[in-house]
Amino acid sequence: MRTNQRLAQLWLDALATELGASAGTIDTYTDDLNCYLAWLNENSLGLDEVGLEQIRDYIAAVDGCGYAGSTIARRITVVRGLHKFLIAEELGSRDPTAHLAAMKRSRKLPFVLSVAETEALLETAHRLAADPSVGLYRQAGYARRAALFETLYASGMRISEALSLPSDAAPAGTRMLLVRGKGDKQRLVPLHERAIEALALWQKLARACSGGAPSPWLFHSVRNGAKALTRQAALLEIKEVAVTAGLSSPERVSPHVLRHAFATHMHSGGTDLRVLQELLGHAGIETTQIYTHLDTSRLHQMVRDLHPLNHE
């Protein structure tokens, strides 16, 4: 129906002009809206004729298509947003989603390295960084990634936070880093002795490569200190080390996996969730609670794999 299409376009225009939604968001929402509009058209329904029963029928139809839970949840969000917009702009007489119960989304547990796998990854990075026979510039690159991996695992910081650290963030002997996280919030994160030593080696070799010229970044290009290390380069480097270390799923290893490893291993060791929340920079405790579920999942896996009765 043309009226449905026109009203939907008004909402998309408002998202772009008034709320500043990105082009990617608009494209995604357009696809979701087209799905809803097609269903309305198939059922000869105008937007103002839709009630709670019809909304439930639409959700059932979407669910029957076999979409992932996240896709279904987003499509429901789009329908809610459209109808709320119509009410706010006095283009509709009722909001059929007002009494629709929120959809509970199952949360996929993140991939996490075991302590042994993490040690293998870090030891491999250190072994490569300790070999001067590869030449100064290559050794410096190896030392940088060993320092980066150790920093991520020691602190649990996000890769974006690590790559934005200024060069003076880790003066000699420092045991704490001041991190600027999401929402421009600052927090202090710890470093252990091995991370401190790795940073010192990287900084020493970086100075040798640059002739002492300063860089604004803690983690930067070996040959051009003015350029910060990129996320893409960090991802490639950790995958290379994962392969060299002989990890079973190197394709799943990323810098963010070290953040998950930090949180999971700390929680397994008895760290309080509230403390972990502060260290990770989570806005709410509900985000940190995933590591409780992850720890439980790992315990179940250990019982399944290691209990002697499971091998009889």
Side-chain angles (χ1 to χ4, degrees), residues 110-119 121-122 148-159 161 175-177 179 187-195 238 253-282 287-288 290-292 294-295 298:
F111 172 72
V112 174
L113 298 173
S114 67
V115 173
E117 289 171 326
T118 305
E119 282 295 325
L121 181 78
L122 296 175
L148 176 61
F149 300 168
E150 283 287 5
T151 299
L152 292 173
Y153 184 55
S155 64
M157 72 174 72
R158 302 174 179 90
I159 182 62
E161 295 169 342
R175 293 188 174 276
M176 300 290 286
L177 290 178
V179 177
R187 70 185 190 280
L188 284 171
V189 296
L191 291 178
H192 50 54
E193 196 63 36
R194 196 163 68 171
I238 197 169
V253 177
S254 69
H256 204 67
V257 164
L258 288 177
R259 175 173 163 87
H260 291 317
F262 163 84
T264 307
H265 301 165
M266 291 286 284
H267 184 262
S268 298
T271 302
D272 181 79
L273 273 181
R274 288 291 180 186
V275 174
L276 199 54
Q277 177 191 351
E278 290 295 322
L279 291 173
L280 293 169
H282 286 158
T287 306
T288 317
I290 190 172
Y291 295 106
T292 302
L294 188 58
D295 201 27
R298 287 172 60 81

Side-chain angles (χ1 to χ4, degrees), residues 101-165:
M103 177 182 173
K104 293 185 178 180
R105 295 171 58 181
S106 58
R107 192 164 191 178
K108 186 178 179 180
L109 296 178
F111 172 72
V112 174
L113 298 173
S114 67
V115 173
E117 289 171 326
T118 305
E119 282 295 325
L121 181 78
L122 296 175
E123 288 296 338
T124 300
H126 282 295
R127 176 171 50 80
L128 294 170
D131 182 8
S133 68
V134 297
L136 177 60
Y137 283 92
R138 180 171 290 184
Q139 185 187 8
Y142 289 162
R144 180 191 60 201
R145 66 189 189 187
L148 176 61
F149 300 168
E150 283 287 5
T151 299
L152 292 173
Y153 184 55
S155 64
M157 72 174 72
R158 302 174 179 90
I159 182 62
S160 57
E161 295 169 342
L163 298 184
S164 63
L165 287 171

Side-chain angles (χ1 to χ4, degrees), residues 193-266:
E193 196 63 36
R194 196 163 68 171
I196 295 169
E197 292 174 356
L199 282 168
L201 176 60
W202 152 237
Q203 290 172 315
K204 174 185 174 182
L205 293 174
R207 285 193 298 270
C209 290
S210 67
S215 168
W217 312 105
L218 180 58
F219 298 107
H220 55 80
S221 166
V222 173
R223 296 187 179 274
N224 185 354
K227 292 184 177 180
L229 183 67
T230 65
R231 293 172 65 109
Q232 293 84 354
L235 178 61
L236 287 174
E237 289 184 351
I238 197 169
K239 287 187 182 298
E240 287 176 1
V241 178
V243 171
T244 304
L247 300 190
S248 58
S249 301
E251 74 284 354
R252 301 185 69 184
V253 177
S254 69
H256 204 67
V257 164
L258 288 177
R259 175 173 163 87
H260 291 317
F262 163 84
T264 307
H265 301 165
M266 291 286 284

